[in-house]
Amino acid sequence: MKNRLAFLRRRNESPGSNPAGKLDKSMKSVKPTPEEALKWGDSLDKLLAHKYGLAAFRAFLRTEFSEENLEFWLACEEYKKIKSQSKMASKAKKIFKTPLFHFLFLQNKSVNLDSYTRDHTKDNLQNVTRSCFDLAQRRIYGLMEKDSYPRFLRSELYLDLINQKKPSSTSTSSSS
């Protein structure tokens, strides 16, 4: 029976299907100290600026099936780094055509963006500039900062990182 069900285990262990709360194996080597992880509690910016922090936040959002805000924010950050106007226009159209963009902006699901922001962003795509997603990105950031970020700071994943104990050379436990 165990051999017959082994295919399920392999499917769950395939790349891209991380179990909830698990980080990529490559991230384990850059695990932060509790002091570093504690700094992420200062601001969402500090969390997103740290490679492991970003991965941990993404893993947490995955457990809540709510990583679309982070994915959109990251796409905007990548977009702002583009220098060429033609590449910028191409990337803006690509973002606009992704299912993620449609999920966030056009189907009125899950993300509570107001109609002004939706319309403003859509209008900005007529004349693509480096700032055409800025308003939407700020609103998405605000949603993460007020909602998912505080939940992340209370999550077992984050609490385990800040409360991790340093390995001791001798483990003497005495109970009297």
Side-chain angles (χ1 to χ4, degrees):
M1 181 64 103
K2 191 175 185 180
N3 289 336
R4 289 181 187 166
L5 297 176
F7 77 95
L8 291 173
R9 192 170 354 113
R10 279 194 298 273
R11 190 172 68 196
N12 285 339
E13 292 171 358
S14 66
S17 63
N18 287 345
K22 299 284 185 188
L23 295 173
D24 293 335
K25 287 181 182 178
S26 62
M27 293 306 296
K28 296 207 190 265
S29 63
V30 292
K31 191 171 184 178
T33 64
E35 294 77 22
E36 286 177 301
L38 200 55
K39 291 177 186 173
W40 303 343
D42 294 344
S43 71
L44 180 56
D45 283 333
K46 288 185 180 180
L47 173 66
L48 297 176
H50 193 281
K51 188 176 183 178
Y52 193 97
L54 177 61
F57 190 49
R58 179 180 276 138
F60 167 74
L61 292 174
R62 232 178 251 140
T63 67
E64 297 195 329
F65 304 100
S66 64
E67 65 184 308
E68 65 278 348
N69 287 342
L70 179 61
E71 294 304 323
F72 176 74
W73 186 85
L74 290 170
C76 291
E77 286 297 292
E78 188 179 306
Y79 172 81
K80 289 192 271 187
K81 293 175 185 173
I82 298 172
K83 303 273 189 254
S84 158
Q85 184 66 29
S86 63
K87 286 182 181 177
M88 199 181 304
S90 173
K91 178 70 172 179
K93 286 177 186 170
K94 186 177 178 185
I95 291 171
F96 183 72
K97 288 182 180 182
T98 63
L100 172 65
F101 186 86
H102 287 266
F103 181 75
L104 291 174
F105 288 88
L106 304 178
Q107 294 180 356
N108 220 2
K109 291 183 181 176
S110 181
V111 177
N112 295 318
L113 285 178
D114 57 280
S115 61
Y116 173 80
T117 302
R118 291 173 196 272
D119 294 342
H120 180 75
T121 304
K122 195 173 178 183
D123 290 346
N124 281 347
L125 293 173
Q126 301 304 314
N127 183 21
V128 175
T129 65
R130 190 168 316 289
S131 62
C132 68
F133 293 107
D134 283 0
L135 177 61
Q137 186 184 22
R138 277 195 310 273
R139 298 278 165 88
I140 293 291
Y141 183 92
L143 289 170
M144 289 191 302
E145 190 174 42
K146 289 182 178 101
D147 185 37
S148 48
Y149 172 63
R151 284 196 318 274
F152 170 75
L153 295 178
R154 293 187 304 268
S155 73
E156 188 176 325
L157 177 64
Y158 179 66
L159 295 175
D160 285 350
L161 285 170
I162 63 173
N163 294 319
Q164 61 186 318
K165 294 184 176 36
K166 295 188 173 152
S168 58
S169 55
T170 58
S171 56
T172 57
S173 51
S174 60
S175 49
S176 310

